[in-house]
Amino acid sequence: MASQVASPSASLHTTSSSTTLSTPALSPSSPTQLSPDDLELLAKLEEQNRLLETDSKSLRSVNGSRRNSGSSLVSSSSASSNLSHLEEDSWILWGRIVNEWEDVRKKKEKQVKELVRKGIPHHFRAIVWQLLCSAQSMPIKDQYSELLKMTSPCEKLIRRDIARTYPEHDFFKEKDSLGQEVLFNVMKAYSLVDREVGYCQGSAFIVGLLLMQMPEEEAFCVFVKLMQDYRLRELFKPSMAELGLCMYQFECMIQEHLPELYVHFQSQSFHTSMYASSWFLTIFLTTFPLPIATRIFDIFMSEGLEIVFRVGLALLQMNQAELLQLDMEGMLQHFQKVIPHQFDSGPEKLIQASYQVKYNAKKMKKLEKEYTTIKTKEMEEQVEIKRLRTENRLLKQRIETLEKHKCSSRYSEDFVLQLEKELVQARLSEAESHCALKEMQDKVLEMEKRNSSLPDEENVARLQEELIAVKLREAEALMGLKELRQQVKDLEEHWQRHLARTTGRWKDPPRKNTVNELQDELMTVRLREAETQAELKETKQRMMEMETQNQINSNHLRRAEQEVTNLQGKVQYLSAQNKGLLAQLNEAKRRQAEIECKSKEEVMAVRLREADRIAAVAELQQHIAELEIQKEEGKIQGQLNKSDSNQYIRELKDQIAELHHEIKCLKGQRGFSDQPTFDGIHIVNHFTGDDESFHSSDEDFITNSIQESGVTFHLHSRTGQMALDHTVVDSSDSDTEERALQTENSDQRVSKQRRMESYSTTV
């Protein structure tokens, strides 16, 4: 089976009298060399080691070296036969993940996270950690041996703190042991690579955990990756600004999820950094035992610092009741002694509780911006304070200087005058600088105005092309002018020679005179040729000027056409926009008309309902008036027969009370309605002396009520008088008394009717 050198912990404590069953660490450089047979063998070896750990009760030692005798090997081999199928499947699954890491990481990232949360098998932990942080092939690994040969300024600090790192662990507890040596090497190498961070005490615990799982070169590469990509470098910087941010975010989470505990912490002045700073700096390695801390570190390698926030808040939720009962010292003792041993049975409960915590990444980003703003303001305030302190120090120095020279009045006066001159000069220079600044601002504004008035880039490019063409034509014209000047100069030379020849022509023989004539003709031809060339050049120059002017005009025309096109486009856009606005206006008018129609219909409906209510009220009031008349008549008649009239009066009063109640209900409904009143509706009911108009359908109701009570009245439509039925009234009464009573009754009813004639209802 392909393997690499195991971690230093796999070769510790080997003696001649005992045999050590060691399992080789998997190299990240050869993850594809594992076959299914190799994975099965690794699973069996892992189960054997697990059983040996159980027998020896050495769960805290994860250094990879386990001792067993011949009998223990026999017992372990028999125990390996009881290996559960679930663990076998887990080993096979992790083997496939390692062999096909690239595809699995891209396609099944969520499944990998779930498996990591359940725990990485011990012998896969080294390779999986390197794969999770992409540290399996780093160029800095080749520089490790060279870094060890160099000298670091942090060596003394590293040596001092090594003995404090895992002091109870077998791999690190002995002085100058292999564990302390490799831990020193890794910390020294990193302090040389990152000189800004150098060395920080909390980082040694992380490096120590890495050395328990893998060789020092690989641990160095993983630590470099963690510092670069997992925010650890910012945590370990001398300013520790990132740690302050983490404390601020964690405190805001406590305030949101555990407000009572947050108030208790504030009342006790129990700051977050007093208990949570080590959680972030060491990823709980100094808080929990190694098995639990290693499980949390598995998730940290996969998900980053989010697990620290989750586990921290879960711890506070689970211990909230106890913490609320303690003061500051009691809470410190609780965090140091109680919480580390709450999960000795296993970390499953803690991990499950941590993933029930609500963690909002967007809110954490928002809190980061708030913290940055707060820190920026604090820095500005510090700068201002520093400036004020400097000014204060200078003023103190000036005061001391003045006090020293106070004894000499003359020197003091001279010194004061000098200071006044310096002040005047300073003010003058300040005024000049202000004037210069104002002038520069005015120039800047002027330049901006000029730049805004300049044409755009396309027009500038065209103008540059035109200028180049004009310069080319000018150069051609200059060349032509130069050639003409040269020709004129040549002609002048020929002319001078011609004059020199012609001065003594009369003395020459005839043959020579013929030659001179030919030369004269040649000179004439040359002059004509020069004139022709001059005319030709002039014509070309004019033609070039015309072409230039034509090109300039065409450019002007093209620019004008472009401006016209742009204006037409703007006009079309504005017309389209105007059409859209008109359409919107028409639509708004249509909707307004519809709303007005609906409102008118609603108003009419409300008016009709109001008219119906008013009519009902008028009818009830009329009914009440009739009942009151009936009551008066009943009183008169009751004088004749008191035994029946009392019953009749009571019934009439009850009916009147009921009618009053109905009127009040109708008036209440009318008063509570939110509809407006309508002055245009008038309902008037007049009661006249006409007997037929006085009797209505309500009269039948009253008559029936009277009949039910045992008293019968007859309303006469013409005379308006009321007579007793002979079934009720005693026939022994005299006719004289009856006529007198009827006369008195009729007089009262007539007066009542006259009062009712003036009754009217207007709404």
Side-chain angles (χ1 to χ4, degrees), residues 14-27:
T14 304
T15 62
S16 60
S17 61
S18 62
T19 306
T20 303
L21 180 61
S22 62
T23 56
L26 298 177
S27 172

Side-chain angles (χ1 to χ4, degrees), residues 253-300:
M253 289 180 68
I254 297 172
Q255 186 178 5
E256 180 182 0
H257 298 286
L258 304 172
E260 295 181 1
L261 189 61
Y262 174 79
V263 173
H264 181 65
F265 283 168
Q266 295 294 322
S267 63
Q268 295 293 327
S269 299
F270 193 61
H271 302 292
T272 310
S273 58
M274 298 173 69
Y275 62 90
S277 58
S278 62
W279 295 353
F280 289 90
L281 290 174
T282 63
I283 320 299
F284 294 101
L285 291 173
T286 58
T287 304
F288 295 116
L290 274 176
I292 300 173
T294 308
R295 285 287 304 276
I296 296 174
F297 202 83
D298 288 341
I299 304 173
F300 170 73

Side-chain angles (χ1 to χ4, degrees), residues 85-193:
H85 294 288
L86 183 61
E87 292 180 352
E88 288 181 357
D89 294 341
S90 176
W91 274 83
I92 293 171
L93 179 60
W94 275 106
R96 290 177 180 173
I97 290 173
V98 171
N99 288 331
E100 302 173 0
W101 175 255
E102 296 298 332
D103 295 336
V104 172
R105 186 67 182 271
K106 292 178 182 178
K107 298 179 182 179
K108 299 181 180 180
E109 186 176 0
K110 292 184 179 179
Q111 291 83 343
V112 172
K113 284 186 178 181
E114 291 295 329
L115 288 173
V116 171
R117 291 173 187 174
K118 294 178 181 178
I120 302 172
H122 172 64
H123 289 87
F124 282 99
R125 187 164 280 135
I127 177 65
V128 172
W129 281 4
Q130 295 177 62
L131 291 172
L132 284 172
C133 66
S134 303
Q136 65 271 25
S137 58
M138 292 181 65
I140 200 171
K141 185 177 181 181
D142 300 330
Q143 304 175 10
Y144 181 72
S145 59
E146 298 296 329
L147 291 171
L148 295 181
K149 298 177 184 179
M150 301 170 64
T151 303
S152 173
C154 304
E155 289 185 7
K156 291 183 180 180
L157 293 175
I158 297 171
R159 287 288 185 192
R160 183 193 65 187
D161 293 336
I162 277 181
R164 306 175 188 175
T165 305
Y166 300 115
E168 298 178 358
H169 198 279
D170 295 338
F171 190 36
F172 300 103
K173 67 181 181 180
E174 296 181 2
K175 187 177 180 181
D176 297 331
S177 62
L178 180 60
Q180 290 190 2
E181 193 63 30
V182 294
L183 179 59
F184 173 79
N185 291 340
V186 175
M187 298 307 301
K188 171 187 172 182
Y190 185 79
S191 67
L192 291 170
V193 170

